[in-house]
Amino acid sequence: MYSMTICENVLIILLVSTSQRLQSPMYFFLGHLALSDIILVTSIAPKMLDVIIRGGSTIPYVGCLAQFYLYGGAVCAECFLLTAMSYDRYLAICRPLHYISVMSVKLRYSLIISSWLGLSLMLILITLVLVFGLDFCGSNVINHFFCDFAPLLELSCSDTTIVSIDIIVLSVPITLLPFLLIIITYVYIFITIFRISSTSGRQKTFSTCSSHLVVVSTYYGSMLIIYMVPYRGHSLTVNKFISLVYIVLTPFLNPMIYSLKNKEIQSSVIIYLKDCNKKTVFNGRRK
């Protein structure tokens, strides 16, 4: 699944970067979503496989914090990117005449830069600095398959009140606010769709945002269960299983969900594979 996830998302990035068919803002955001999926699963899966194969493993303290930072940055970036994609779908469906002028190249890059640098990496850096200042003088065994926030705090012998407050405060701009914005945009989208008189028109319009809606539901559903419910009240086995959903399963399924009903991506894949096949011929013979 890890190998397939990397191949699928790299293919999405290559298609969005090279295909003339996929130059709209929706695919531009999809390419960055694929990049965040690669970072998310790569920061966790290789070490997780080592833990599974060996029945346990070790990781340096700095490596643990680096894993936490990359994982947190990718999760935050995905939240903001999904929000940007919902806004893109809102403009395309609810304000089609203003879509091109509003969703300009400048706005696209502003949303991407703010999603990666301005919001994700900087906000997680605050939490990382606070975690780095904690003392770990007791047990050093993490009962999880990666360095998640709650299991790390369980090991600290310092007062973790400030860090806990910090993560609660940051959860508002990182998780709840984007989720609320997505809900608002989809309320307007559904209102617009229901106003369409023909059934075929409603189905065609809904199909343009159905993939994004499925991804949002899977991603936010599992993440909200993990982080909105107190960690101590969870079964550890259930906690790990739900973590697998948005760390491994969601990045694996995202390219499939977006390409399953998308004829433009399907045709771009066929054209790309044909071009690659032509490039393997040299002087009439295959390399």
Side-chain angles (χ1 to χ4, degrees), residues 150-192:
L152 274 177
L153 293 192
E154 291 281 327
L155 301 182
S156 176
C157 52
S158 303
D159 183 7
T160 60
T161 303
I162 295 178
V163 187
S164 299
I165 293 174
D166 169 73
I167 201 68
I168 292 173
V169 172
L170 290 183
S171 67
V172 175
I174 290 175
T175 306
L176 295 180
L177 186 58
F179 187 56
L180 180 62
L181 291 174
I182 291 174
I183 291 176
I184 292 173
T185 56
Y186 269 99
V187 167
Y188 282 101
I189 287 172
F190 287 144
I191 291 174
T192 302

Side-chain angles (χ1 to χ4, degrees), residues 34-283:
L35 177 60
S36 69
D37 281 337
I38 291 174
I39 296 174
L40 175 62
V41 73
T42 301
S43 65
I44 305 296
K47 191 62 182 177
M48 180 183 68
L49 293 172
D50 183 49
V51 171
I52 294 172
I53 293 170
R54 298 174 183 269
S57 184
T58 59
I59 185 171
Y61 176 60
V62 175
C64 187
L65 293 181
Q67 185 187 58
F68 169 74
Y69 181 65
L70 289 174
Y71 155 75
V75 168
C76 294
E78 191 135 348
C79 291
F80 297 130
L81 288 170
L82 289 172
T83 307
M85 294 174 77
S86 70
Y87 179 63
D88 173 74
R89 291 300 82 203
Y90 161 77
L91 289 176
I93 295 173
C94 301
R95 300 181 62 189
L97 298 179
H98 301 89
Y99 178 68
I100 296 177
S101 60
V102 175
M103 189 54 71
S104 61
V105 174
K106 182 179 180 181
L107 179 60
R108 284 182 241 168
Y109 279 99
S110 298
L111 290 172
I112 289 298
I113 292 172
S114 60
S115 295
W116 281 108
L117 299 179
L119 296 174
S120 302
L121 298 181
M122 292 303 297
L123 289 176
I124 294 300
L125 184 61
I126 298 173
T127 304
L128 182 70
V129 171
L130 293 175
V131 172
F132 190 79
L134 298 176
D135 293 324
F136 295 90
C137 52
S139 172
N140 64 344
V141 179
I142 297 178
N143 191 3
H144 213 306
F145 55 81
F146 74 105
C147 297
D148 199 3
F149 177 75
L152 274 177
L153 293 192
E154 291 281 327
L155 301 182
S156 176
C157 52
S158 303
D159 183 7
T160 60
T161 303
I162 295 178
V163 187
S164 299
I165 293 174
D166 169 73
I167 201 68
I168 292 173
V169 172
L170 290 183
S171 67
V172 175
I174 290 175
T175 306
L176 295 180
L177 186 58
F179 187 56
L180 180 62
L181 291 174
I182 291 174
I183 291 176
I184 292 173
T185 56
Y186 269 99
V187 167
Y188 282 101
I189 287 172
F190 287 144
I191 291 174
T192 302
I193 290 175
F194 289 139
R195 286 176 178 173
I196 299 175
S197 56
S198 65
T199 303
S200 59
R202 287 196 295 268
Q203 291 176 346
K204 184 178 180 180
T205 305
F206 180 74
S207 65
T208 63
C209 60
S210 58
S211 298
H212 178 262
L213 188 59
V214 171
V215 171
V216 167
S217 301
T218 305
Y219 185 76
Y220 270 99
S222 56
M223 191 169 64
L224 288 173
I225 292 174
I226 288 289
Y227 292 106
M228 293 296 104
V229 180
Y231 177 78
R232 294 177 185 272
H234 264 108
S235 165
L236 290 177
T237 303
V238 174
N239 187 287
K240 295 172 188 176
F241 177 77
I242 299 174
S243 296
L244 279 174
V245 172
Y246 72 91
I247 292 175
V248 177
L249 189 61
T250 300
F252 174 73
L253 293 178
N254 279 356
M256 296 183 184
I257 293 172
Y258 275 104
S259 60
L260 191 61
K261 293 184 178 181
N262 195 307
K263 294 182 179 179
E264 289 183 336
I265 292 182
Q266 292 173 2
S267 60
S268 296
V269 170
I270 295 172
I271 293 172
Y272 183 79
L273 293 177
K274 286 182 178 178
D275 290 340
C276 290
N277 187 50
K278 290 178 182 178
K279 292 177 182 178
T280 60
V281 178
F282 181 70
N283 287 338

Side-chain angles (χ1 to χ4, degrees), residues 5-18 22 34 38 265 268-269 272-273:
T5 299
I6 297 299
C7 292
E8 290 169 354
N9 285 285
V10 167
L11 179 61
I12 291 293
I13 294 173
L14 289 175
L15 290 175
V16 172
S17 302
T18 59
L22 306 179
I38 291 174
I265 292 182
S268 296
V269 170
Y272 183 79
L273 293 177

